[in-house]
């Protein structure tokens, strides 16, 4: 029996990049317009008090249109996440292709060299993509079998510069279960430790062989009972089932409308009944590979941005390339101008890091709108 191919080796994994990279500037612009307005012959004026949808005057030299009704000039990216762009349409499309290709994320420095632009340009544009993924993350409560786990990211202390000889006393202290000597960290390592955060992930299990079919993940300060119960109450539907490890933080799930089973990782990876949290561990592995092999570390302020990127990659890992690129392009065209990255290098920075409270407020607003 032939071995089943990995999705990344299938033809669906590379069925759109060649077409995108062979496009002319005119064809790339037409694609942006088609995704935004659903037409290449009619445009919707993004003017504040206009909104006229018709065929407007074309300013070919500028690659813009002038509104027939209000005279406002606009392009295919006006009032979108790419508002105020400096890159051509072909480069923007190439950036989306480059972003999609990284199973474990993409390096900004590598993108800078590939597209021949400054690192600042890539930082701002890839930041806009991640901002869109944050605001597009589906917060509908998960229902069914859910794997849940936490992973520590950032704040990794550096090893000491002094290498002591491994004596028999030190080895005995390491191997025995007796009281160990207290470990004192250096001042610099204590400062680095402040950047450590815990990302709690919830992965909805599909049918046998499907793996995770939907994932959510949130940056918190600790894997404690309060955070676990907050996530369970807002993002897990009643009468669902959660599988986790033996961490005491999940003890509060007992006695609720949610079933909870734990696997003692100190003894095994999977119980005899099949209880495990391998889907959450798989997502942990994806973001850990970004931390060590691509980004070489995280800072708390923008950690949630990368978490949402990895959530998108996990949720769309088996989609064809065309679907993923068009999903990114549709998200960018349907989003307003960036709040966090427009004018970033002119001092427009986000205030503080994104926390779980940000998503709770979003979920509350969505519930009010639905009501």
């Amino acid at each position: 029996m032939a071995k089943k191919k990995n999705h990344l080796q299938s033809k669906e994994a590379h069925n759109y990049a060649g077409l995108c990279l062979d496009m002319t500037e005119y064809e790339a612009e037409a694609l942006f317009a088609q995704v935004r307005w659903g037409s290449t012959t009619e445009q919707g004026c993004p003017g504040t008090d206009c909104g006229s949808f018709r065929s407007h005057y074309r300013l070919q030299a500028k690659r813009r249109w002038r509104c027939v009704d209000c005279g406002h000039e606009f392009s295919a990216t006006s009032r979108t996440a790419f508002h105020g762009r400096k890159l051509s349409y072909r480069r923007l499309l190439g950036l989306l292709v480059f972003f999609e290709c990284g199973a474990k994320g993409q390096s900004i420095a590598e993108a800078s060299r590939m597209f021949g632009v400054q690192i600042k340009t890539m930082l701002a544009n890839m930041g806009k993509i991640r901002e869109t993924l944050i605001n597009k993350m589906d917060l509908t409560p998960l229902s069914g079998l859910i794997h849940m786990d936490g992973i520590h990211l950032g704040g990794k202390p550096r090893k000491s510069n002094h290498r002591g000889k491994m004596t028999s006393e030190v080895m005995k202290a390491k191997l025995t279960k007796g009281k160990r000597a207290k470990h004192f960290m250096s001042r610099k390592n204590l400062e680095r430790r402040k950047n450590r955060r815990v990302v709690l992930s919830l992965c909805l299990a599909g049918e046998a062989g499907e793996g995770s079919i939907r994932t959510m993940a949130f940056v918190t300060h600790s894997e404690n009972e309060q955070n676990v119960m907050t996530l369970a109450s807002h993002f897990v539907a009643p009468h669902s089932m959660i599988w986790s490890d033996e961490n005491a933080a999940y003890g509060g799930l007992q006695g609720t409308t949610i079933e909870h089973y734990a696997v003692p990782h100190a003894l095994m990876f999977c119980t005899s009944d099949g209880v495990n949290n391998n889907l959450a561990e798989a997502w942990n592995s994806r973001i850990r590979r970004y931390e060590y092999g691509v980004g070489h570390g995280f800072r708390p302020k923008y950690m949630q941005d990368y978490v949402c990127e990895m959530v998108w990659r996990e949720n769309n890992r088996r989609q064809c390339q065309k679907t993923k690129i068009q999903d990114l392009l549709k998200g960018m065209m349907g989003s307003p101008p960036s709040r966090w990255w427009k004018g970033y290098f002119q001092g427009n920075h986000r205030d503080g890091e994104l926390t779980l409270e940000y998503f709770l407020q979003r979920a509350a607003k969505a519930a009010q709108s639905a009501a």
Side-chain angles (χ1 to χ4, degrees):
M1 183 177 178
K3 185 178 179 180
K4 186 177 180 180
K5 281 187 177 181
N6 185 289
H7 173 73
L8 297 179
Q9 298 174 337
S10 66
K11 63 180 181 180
E12 289 79 12
H14 55 81
N15 65 353
Y16 200 54
L19 179 63
C20 291
L21 298 179
D22 288 341
M23 284 185 181
T24 63
E25 183 69 6
Y26 176 80
E27 290 172 336
E29 181 193 22
L31 176 62
F32 276 67
Q34 175 68 39
V35 170
R36 181 176 185 182
W37 295 305
S39 172
T40 56
T41 58
E42 296 181 326
Q43 306 81 33
C45 175
T48 307
D49 300 319
C50 185
S52 172
F53 187 83
R54 55 175 295 177
S55 181
H56 295 283
Y57 296 125
R58 175 65 172 173
L59 305 176
Q60 191 64 44
K62 296 182 179 181
R63 293 195 180 279
R64 297 171 70 86
W65 291 272
R66 180 181 292 121
C67 180
V68 174
D69 298 313
C70 69
H72 178 74
E73 288 189 14
F74 60 93
S75 69
T77 56
S78 294
R79 308 288 174 86
T80 70
F82 282 134
H83 183 84
R85 64 181 176 84
K86 300 297 187 294
L87 297 179
S88 65
Y89 289 105
R90 291 185 69 244
R91 285 191 175 184
L92 285 179
L93 190 57
L95 174 61
L96 296 180
V97 174
F98 177 80
F99 184 88
E100 178 275 330
C101 287
K104 300 175 181 67
Q106 292 285 30
S107 166
I108 293 173
E110 185 177 347
S112 171
R113 297 192 299 272
M114 178 173 290
F115 292 96
V117 298
Q118 294 186 27
I119 286 184
K120 289 182 177 181
T121 303
M122 285 296 105
L123 178 65
N125 280 285
M126 293 183 78
K128 291 175 182 178
I129 297 175
R130 295 188 182 103
E131 179 181 351
T132 299
L133 296 181
I134 290 173
N135 294 322
K136 296 292 183 181
M137 187 168 75
D138 187 3
L139 299 181
T140 307
L142 303 173
S143 178
L145 174 58
I146 300 160
H147 292 201
M148 192 171 181
D149 196 20
I151 179 173
H152 291 258
L153 296 174
K156 183 179 179 181
R158 292 183 179 176
K159 293 182 179 179
S160 172
N161 185 48
H162 302 284
R163 308 294 186 188
K165 186 177 179 180
M166 183 65 72
T167 63
S168 59
E169 289 80 8
V170 175
M171 180 62 75
K172 183 178 180 181
K174 282 180 173 289
L175 296 178
T176 58
K177 295 183 179 179
K179 188 175 181 181
R180 300 183 183 182
K182 189 175 181 181
H183 176 67
F184 292 94
M185 298 181 70
S186 66
R187 180 180 59 83
K188 289 185 177 179
N189 276 341
L190 286 173
E191 289 297 319
R192 293 188 185 96
R193 192 69 177 267
K194 294 179 181 178
N195 289 332
R196 175 168 289 190
R197 297 291 183 271
V198 175
V199 177
L200 292 174
S201 58
L202 302 96
C203 302
L204 179 63
E207 300 294 333
E210 282 189 316
S212 172
I213 58 175
R214 188 170 150 230
T215 298
M216 289 192 287
F218 306 92
V219 176
T220 63
H221 282 78
S222 175
E223 187 178 9
N224 56 38
E225 185 173 327
Q226 179 182 355
N227 288 331
V228 168
M229 295 304 295
T230 299
L231 289 180
S233 62
H234 287 85
F235 303 117
V236 177
H239 310 297
S240 296
M241 182 185 297
I242 290 180
W243 288 359
S244 70
D245 57 23
E246 73 275 29
N247 194 308
Y250 302 95
L253 294 172
Q254 301 296 333
T256 65
T257 58
I258 299 172
E259 287 188 74
H260 173 243
Y261 299 93
V263 51
H265 274 173
L267 302 175
M268 63 190 76
F269 293 110
C270 179
T271 68
S272 57
D273 295 328
V275 176
N276 63 80
N277 66 340
N278 291 344
L279 300 183
E281 295 286 1
W283 185 88
N284 290 348
S285 177
R286 185 185 294 272
I287 197 167
R288 183 71 79 193
R289 288 302 92 206
Y290 179 90
E291 181 186 23
Y292 286 167
V294 180
H296 305 295
F298 286 114
R299 297 296 180 272
K301 187 172 183 179
Y302 294 102
M303 188 179 293
Q304 185 67 58
D305 300 52
Y306 296 97
V307 167
C308 287
E309 176 189 343
M310 295 304 153
V311 166
W312 180 83
R313 295 189 186 281
E314 181 74 10
N315 289 339
N316 295 277
R317 67 191 183 280
R318 290 176 182 163
Q319 296 288 341
C320 74
Q321 188 179 50
K322 181 177 181 179
T323 300
K324 289 192 282 186
I325 293 175
Q326 290 190 345
D327 177 66
L328 288 173
L329 183 55
K330 185 177 180 180
M332 299 299 287
M333 291 295 97
S335 299
S338 172
R339 291 189 298 144
W340 302 328
W341 293 97
K342 182 185 175 184
Y344 178 84
F345 293 102
Q346 288 73 43
N348 178 34
H349 294 179
R350 187 166 73 199
D351 294 332
E353 57 187 282
L354 289 185
T355 63
L356 178 58
E357 187 63 29
Y358 174 82
F359 294 95
L360 296 179
Q361 291 175 359
R362 252 188 62 193
K365 289 180 180 178
Q368 289 177 358
S369 300

